[in-house]
Amino acid sequence: MDRLKNKVAIVFGAGPNIGGTIAHFLAREGASVCVSDVKAEAAEETVAFIRGEGWEAMSVVGNARIDADVKRIVDATVEQYGRLDIVVNMAGRVHWDDVLGMQTDDWDDSVASFATAGLLATQHGARAMLACGAHGSIIHIMSTAAHFGEADGASYCAAKAGLLNFARSAAMDLAHHGIRVNTVTPCSMEHQLWTTMRDEMFDPAWQQPARRGFYSRQEYLDQLPLRRFPRAADLAWATVFLASDESSCMTGSDMAVDAGLRHKYPTWTPGKHDPLAINDYARATRVTRYGVEQELLTELLGQPVERS
Ligand SMILES: NC(=O)c1ccc[n+]([C@@H]2O[C@H](COP(=O)([O-])OP(=O)(O)OC[C@H]3O[C@@H](n4cnc5c(N)ncnc54)[C@H](O)[C@@H]3O)[C@@H](O)[C@H]2O)c1
């Protein structure tokens, strides 16, 4: 539990899903954590949870794509905790649209939120690490969208792919300062499953939306070699490793936390050989929040669920 003892971290985009879980796990390993989000209630909820568990955290509200906000968040962290060792960034907004119908405002919003937030978090974070003599670690949360083309996903894919290669370049720029930059790539997450599959699971008349980029949860599960979706905790463990001195010889690398999706032969469908119905998967699994198991399945899905 002391893998990050005496270290100080900032998490940008730290609402209760992936960012909040990462903030919780960093704090549980001994780091003092600044939880930052554009939404005050999201940051405060995460800080309340972490403090409730007995760990150290503070919240600073700000927009990760605005230079002055990011500088203020970094300055406030150093003022409160005296140094900076770890920056984790995942802030951004997704716009789904076909290339032919793409609005430039939506394009700018997607690219500026993910890629510009990545630059600012790295830049201000690294400056603060240098000022306090820290051999720090910077981690950006990606998506399979950084590695593949996706129908209706051009702005998200471009933003994440830009962020991925930015991170590799930043790793080269900062290596001689002893500052490492790595990335973690999840595929579609289990909490996303809970928020999108209600109708699909329970409404017999449910039909797939006409959007070309849409795939059902069953179709997605069928592609996953490990036959499970990643949880926020799976990403948080990878992030703790990259934040800690255990990964001190790693920089510019990308860790796939995607149940094997990115490394499978594209035309092989694991679900054909190892069938698993999405409803059975859903009934057998446990919802987690901040990495802690919940009994919230009924509440989340809006109706009673018989466990398998
Ligand atoms: N959920 C998934 O299935 C999935 C899959 C692959 C990758 N990801 C990536 O993981 C990251 C987190 O995903 P999540 O599911 O926890 O999303 P989420 O929407 O629950 O959390 C994102 C948080 O970032 C905050 N945020 C957005 N724009 C911001 C800004 N400009 N400044 C500061 N905060 C901002 C939001 O308020 C929110 O709290 C994202 O980068 C996302 O692209 C998610």
Side-chain angles (χ1 to χ4, degrees):
M1 287 280 171
D2 279 342
R3 292 160 76 193
L4 303 174
K5 199 173 175 193
N6 299 326
K7 293 189 190 283
V8 173
I10 303 176
V11 180
F12 291 99
N17 292 324
I18 296 172
T21 306
I22 289 174
H24 171 211
F25 279 33
L26 295 176
R28 202 168 68 176
E29 292 295 338
S32 301
V33 183
C34 171
V35 171
S36 185
D37 202 282
V38 73
K39 292 183 195 147
E41 65 277 13
E44 279 154 19
E45 186 196 314
T46 296
V47 167
F49 176 83
I50 293 172
R51 287 194 179 150
E53 295 289 298
W55 314 120
E56 179 57 36
M58 65 188 272
S59 76
V60 183
V61 178
N63 190 332
R65 59 193 273 190
I66 296 177
D67 187 77
D69 280 19
V70 177
K71 183 171 184 325
R72 178 174 51 77
I73 293 160
V74 170
D75 287 349
T77 306
V78 174
E79 193 181 325
Q80 177 72 19
Y81 294 131
R83 56 185 292 112
L84 182 64
D85 305 275
I86 300 158
V87 168
V88 183
N89 160 58
M90 73 208 72
R93 282 219 307 230
V94 184
H95 294 275
W96 299 107
D97 211 346
D98 184 282
V99 165
L100 294 173
M102 178 84 63
Q103 302 293 309
T104 46
D105 283 356
D106 291 345
W107 169 270
D108 288 346
D109 192 41
S110 224
V111 175
S113 61
F114 285 111
T116 306
L119 165 70
L120 296 175
T122 305
Q123 200 171 49
H124 289 291
R127 285 175 184 155
M129 289 170 185
L130 283 174
C132 70
H135 285 174
S137 174
I138 300 172
I139 300 132
H140 297 283
I141 305 301
M142 292 294 144
S143 161
T144 37
H147 302 269
F148 301 112
E150 200 170 344
D152 295 333
S155 66
Y156 185 47
C157 291
K160 287 283 184 176
L163 181 58
L164 179 68
N165 236 10
F166 161 78
R168 290 180 178 134
S169 305
M172 301 306 118
D173 276 346
L174 296 171
H176 66 286
H177 295 295
I179 296 173
R180 303 182 291 114
V181 186
N182 293 288
T183 59
V184 178
T185 293
C187 62
S188 194
M189 304 283 299
E190 197 161 275
H191 66 269
Q192 201 73 16
L193 172 84
W194 301 122
T195 51
T196 58
M197 74 179 291
R198 274 163 252 215
D199 299 341
E200 192 174 333
M201 272 185 78
F202 294 111
D203 180 1
W206 181 84
Q207 291 194 333
Q208 244 175 247
R211 233 185 70 203
R212 278 189 307 150
F214 187 87
Y215 34 77
S216 72
R217 295 290 109 188
Q218 181 70 59
E219 285 167 326
Y220 208 116
L221 180 64
D222 283 345
Q223 294 297 329
L224 298 177
L226 285 180
R227 318 312 327 280
R228 55 164 291 214
F229 291 86
R231 291 176 167 182
D234 296 310
L235 260 65
W237 283 126
T239 306
V240 164
F241 169 68
L242 289 173
S244 77
D245 297 339
E246 296 157 15
S247 59
S248 62
C249 199
M250 290 173 68
T251 198
S253 72
D254 178 61
M255 286 179 76
V257 181
D258 64 357
L261 179 65
R262 201 165 97 210
H263 300 297
K264 88 175 179 68
Y265 196 75
T267 51
W268 174 57
T269 301
K272 275 193 187 160
H273 307 281
D274 181 15
L276 174 57
I278 189 75
N279 287 4
D280 294 338
Y281 174 87
R283 289 189 172 89
T285 194
R286 295 287 184 272
V287 176
T288 55
R289 200 164 166 81
Y290 296 115
V292 178
E293 283 197 1
Q294 308 285 303
E295 278 304 328
L296 277 175
L297 200 53
T298 302
E299 188 185 312
L300 275 170
L301 296 175
Q303 50 193 299
V305 176
E306 200 179 304
R307 296 250 187 226
S308 59

